[in-house]
Amino acid sequence: MSRPLSDVISDGYIAIFCVVMLGAMLVSVLVNVASLSDELCTSAGCREGRSLLPWLVATGSLVLVLTLSRMFGPVFASPAVSSWLLSTPADRGALLRPRIWRTALIATLVTGLLAAAAATLGGFGSSAVAGFSLLSAVVAVCSVSVAVLAQAGSGLAGRLLTWLLGLLLWVALLLLAMERAPLLQTPSTVPTPAVGVGVTVLVVTGCLLGFAFRQVARLQRRDVAAGGNLAPGISGAMASLDLALMYDVLVGHRWRSRGSVRSRRSGPSGVSALVWADLVRLTRSPQWLVMVMLSIVVPYAVGVAGGERIVFLAGALVGFLTGLPLLTALRVLSRSGSVLRLLPFPVMQARRATLVVPAVVLVLHGLATIPVLHDVLDLTWAAAVMCGIASGMASLAAAARWVTGRPPDFSRPLVSSPAGGVPTNLYGSALRGFDVLLLATAPVLLAPVANTAGLSILISVIVLAVLASRK
């Protein structure tokens, strides 16, 4: 039964009023914070970090838009629509074209609003904020259009554009780390060359979007059904706050879309075969190693921006986040107990073997931060080496804690909440990994010397030993 028109108008009025009121409050907060930053941000590092903030946020939001477009597909349909409507011998363009509009609208709003907020905090003038947010929104629509074309044909274009945007973000961090951030100015008005660039990008985006609308009818059911099948798994994992389960769903989706891989024969025997399997897996997905290598620039950028002791935490944090894909074997052995029981090794020995390759990579990542730790924290080279090792070990312990986490146990006593009965370990699963990271880095954050770095390494080793031996 349809609702009365008066109820619809009343609900619409309330929604518009809430959006306007909350938007006005948010704009007021951003303007006040920007004005305070103009007065308090006086150091060179602070000004450099502030000048790069809009570019980092805009590039990061574009990478997020394109990554989600590649993950779900900018055009995706639910399993019911894929089974009933897309299998009929009819023109599917009329069914799929509105989905492009919806995806493009969401990408425009999210990217434009984030870019406007970052530009305001970065000290841009009002006209420059409007132009910067408009250009970011247009580039987001361009990314969605390219993703549609990649979905209709080869996925090479989408991968190339994703890596290109990621490279731009890395270059922006590198500029900050090299103290070349003054090259990125904070304009009060839109520069004349930027107008020409914006018009060119707008024309190119319009052409790509029109071509994408023409190609959408060529999408097959397998192209749009993959994202629709992925969405229920992601929503179920997010409902239980099990981030590791969400990672399992994404890994399964990635390898199902790839189909098959070429098998590798020979290799060592015994427990060394698990280490060899990690090396083979790393050769099949070298982008994860590249991400770990490129993330080294983050602690250097934090050091230039005046982070001081936060440099150590930033290095361990990015090592933890980028090192998670290296622990896929440990995740499989922890999630599938039957696979672990089939191996002719003790539990501790098998899990230790899966930690060898990630340990080498993450310790090297920590050692790469030695120069910035030596300069920013005013440490001796020996103490900086110890802190670098402690950073890599803390990243490894946090990542191992994250991938070996157990799912929520509904057989435990439940806690009453507005959403119903909740297991006691449900909310704690969202903080899994970060708790170990803070525990392992706390000694160095309190007193960055060689002795506290040794204590941090000892804490990480104890955590890894407990996680490797846990049944």
Side-chain angles (χ1 to χ4, degrees), residues 292-370:
V292 175
M293 294 171 57
L294 294 181
S295 67
I296 296 173
V297 73
V298 175
Y300 285 88
V302 174
V304 172
E308 296 183 356
R309 297 186 185 183
I310 304 299
V311 171
F312 179 78
L313 180 61
L317 179 61
V318 296
F320 161 47
L321 296 178
T322 57
L324 288 175
L326 304 177
L327 293 164
T328 303
L330 180 61
R331 176 63 183 166
V332 172
L333 296 182
S334 301
R335 195 75 175 183
S336 305
S338 58
V339 176
L340 184 61
R341 288 191 293 268
L342 287 175
L343 297 177
F345 319 115
V347 173
M348 180 179 294
Q349 191 176 6
R351 287 179 175 168
R352 283 178 178 175
T354 60
L355 289 172
V356 173
V357 174
V360 173
V361 174
L362 292 179
V363 169
L364 290 177
H365 178 275
L367 292 176
T369 63
I370 290 176

Side-chain angles (χ1 to χ4, degrees), residues 63-448:
V63 171
L64 178 63
V65 167
L66 192 55
T67 302
L68 293 178
S69 298
R70 285 193 55 213
M71 183 186 304
F72 293 97
V75 182
F76 70 94
S78 63
V81 173
S82 302
S83 302
W84 290 92
L85 295 180
L86 295 181
S87 58
T88 58
D91 182 18
R92 63 196 67 184
L95 178 65
L96 299 179
R97 287 189 186 97
R99 301 173 189 271
I100 299 181
W101 283 116
R102 181 179 59 189
T103 305
L105 180 62
I106 294 175
T108 301
L109 292 177
V110 172
T111 306
L113 293 177
L114 287 178
T120 302
L121 295 177
F124 283 30
S126 56
S127 60
V129 168
F132 185 76
S133 59
L134 180 61
L135 180 61
S136 301
V138 171
V139 176
V141 176
C142 181
S143 302
V144 171
S145 304
V146 173
V148 173
L149 297 177
Q151 189 178 10
S154 173
L156 180 60
R159 288 194 294 270
L160 289 178
L161 187 56
T162 303
W163 280 99
L164 177 60
L165 291 175
L167 181 62
L168 291 176
L169 180 62
W170 182 79
V171 168
L173 287 172
L174 185 61
L175 286 173
L176 178 60
M178 296 174 60
E179 301 185 11
R180 301 300 299 274
L183 295 175
L184 304 176
Q185 302 296 326
T186 54
S188 57
T189 59
V190 180
T192 303
V195 177
V197 173
V199 172
T200 304
V201 172
L202 183 61
V203 172
V204 172
T205 301
C207 295
L208 288 175
L209 189 60
F211 190 58
F213 272 98
R214 293 182 57 185
Q215 296 294 318
V216 71
R218 298 179 52 188
L219 291 174
Q220 303 295 324
R221 191 175 81 173
R222 65 176 182 271
D223 299 326
V224 298
N229 294 329
L230 177 62
I234 293 293
S235 61
M238 292 300 294
S240 62
L241 297 180
D242 193 350
L243 300 180
L245 177 59
M246 183 180 67
Y247 175 74
D248 294 341
V249 173
L250 293 177
V251 171
H253 172 74
R254 175 175 180 268
W255 288 108
R256 279 194 301 269
S257 62
R258 187 165 180 173
S260 61
V261 295
R262 180 180 298 177
S263 60
R264 302 285 181 89
R265 297 181 180 274
S266 72
S269 59
V271 72
S272 300
L274 296 176
V275 182
W276 175 255
D278 273 341
L279 293 175
V280 172
R281 190 177 296 108
L282 197 59
T283 59
R284 290 172 178 166
S285 302
Q287 65 270 19
W288 305 126
L289 182 60
V290 174
M291 288 181 61
V292 175
M293 294 171 57
L294 294 181
S295 67
I296 296 173
V297 73
V298 175
Y300 285 88
V302 174
V304 172
E308 296 183 356
R309 297 186 185 183
I310 304 299
V311 171
F312 179 78
L313 180 61
L317 179 61
V318 296
F320 161 47
L321 296 178
T322 57
L324 288 175
L326 304 177
L327 293 164
T328 303
L330 180 61
R331 176 63 183 166
V332 172
L333 296 182
S334 301
R335 195 75 175 183
S336 305
S338 58
V339 176
L340 184 61
R341 288 191 293 268
L342 287 175
L343 297 177
F345 319 115
V347 173
M348 180 179 294
Q349 191 176 6
R351 287 179 175 168
R352 283 178 178 175
T354 60
L355 289 172
V356 173
V357 174
V360 173
V361 174
L362 292 179
V363 169
L364 290 177
H365 178 275
L367 292 176
T369 63
I370 290 176
V372 67
L373 293 174
H374 171 71
D375 294 337
V376 175
L377 300 181
D378 195 19
L379 300 175
T380 62
W381 284 109
V385 170
M386 291 293 294
C387 289
I389 297 175
S391 175
M393 292 299 296
S395 301
L396 179 64
R401 164 68 174 148
W402 195 87
V403 299
T404 57
R406 295 172 178 172
D409 188 3
F410 288 89
S411 64
R412 294 185 177 184
L414 302 181
V415 179
S416 178
S417 71
V422 176
T424 55
N425 64 337
L426 179 62
Y427 296 114
S429 61
L431 301 177
R432 186 185 300 129
F434 298 96
D435 51 356
V436 171
L437 183 70
L438 292 177
L439 177 64
T441 57
V444 180
L445 293 177
L446 294 176

